[in-house]
């Protein structure tokens, strides 16, 4: 099947990037609540907390900057989906009133470095 091998490589790269992101977040005081939280809308890579704030984390991994920085791959539609999924998460776990933040963790696989962008985007949530 054309593209099948590429998709497997991309999925493996994404999992590797998420693993690095989780290690980074945990060593910086965050507690992982969920990984790959999926609804009918889509998926949020990681939900973490610093015990005060619920943080929805989008992980973007890259081998090079050939196609731009990882955070540049988080477009308007992705932001909208992450916001909607986070709203579902809040309702499911009854986290009403808990501050929410949206971060992006860029993972550079070549040298295994991580760039944590706090408050990378605003929510589309309307209560």
């Amino acid at each position: 099947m054309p593209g099948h091998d590429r998709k497997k490589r991309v999925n493996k790269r994404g999992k590797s990037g998420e693993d690095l992101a989780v290690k980074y977040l945990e060593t910086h005081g965050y507690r992982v609540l969920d990984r790959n939280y999926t609804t009918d809308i889509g998926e949020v890579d990681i939900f973490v907390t610093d015990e005060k704030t619920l943080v929805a984390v989008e992980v973007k991994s890259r081998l090079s900057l050939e196609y731009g920085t990882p955070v540049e791959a988080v477009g308007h539609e992705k932001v909208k989906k992450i916001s909607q999924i986070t709203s579902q998460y809040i309702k499911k776990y009854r986290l009403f009133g808990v501050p929410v933040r949206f971060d992006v963790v860029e993972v550079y696989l070549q040298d295994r470095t991580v760039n944590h962008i706090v408050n990378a985007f605003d929510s589309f949530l309307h209560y």
Side-chain angles (χ1 to χ4, degrees):
M1 190 182 315
H4 183 68
D5 287 340
R6 182 186 181 284
K7 189 171 175 98
K8 277 172 81 171
R9 281 194 316 271
V10 168
N11 286 344
K12 189 175 180 184
R13 191 179 315 145
K15 169 102 173 72
S16 174
E18 283 180 18
D19 290 345
L20 284 170
V22 164
K23 282 180 188 160
Y24 174 89
L25 291 165
E26 287 176 337
T27 60
H28 286 82
Y30 293 91
R31 182 169 52 91
V32 175
L33 301 173
D34 262 301
R35 282 185 73 169
N36 306 114
Y37 181 79
T38 306
T39 71
D40 57 334
I41 297 170
E43 175 185 278
V44 169
D45 293 328
I46 308 168
F47 278 107
V48 296
T49 184
D50 61 4
E51 305 307 331
K52 292 180 224 122
T53 306
L54 173 67
V55 185
V57 180
E58 175 69 7
V59 179
K60 286 295 178 192
S61 304
R62 292 290 180 270
L63 284 170
S64 73
L65 295 178
E66 185 178 345
Y67 299 105
T69 64
V71 74
E72 290 173 336
V74 182
H76 177 80
E77 282 305 309
K78 185 66 173 175
V79 167
K80 188 174 170 184
K81 278 186 181 184
I82 292 169
S83 295
Q84 292 170 331
I85 297 162
T86 300
S87 179
Q88 290 179 339
Y89 191 87
I90 289 166
K91 287 174 188 157
K92 179 178 180 177
Y93 294 105
R94 307 186 57 72
L95 299 172
F96 308 111
V98 174
V100 178
R101 192 177 77 219
F102 299 90
D103 294 0
V104 173
V105 172
E106 297 180 314
V107 178
Y108 296 91
L109 295 169
Q110 202 74 13
D111 57 5
R112 300 177 63 79
T113 58
V114 172
N115 180 33
H116 182 193
I117 303 167
V118 175
N119 246 346
F121 55 87
D122 290 325
S123 168
F124 278 81
L125 300 177
H126 300 285
Y127 294 105

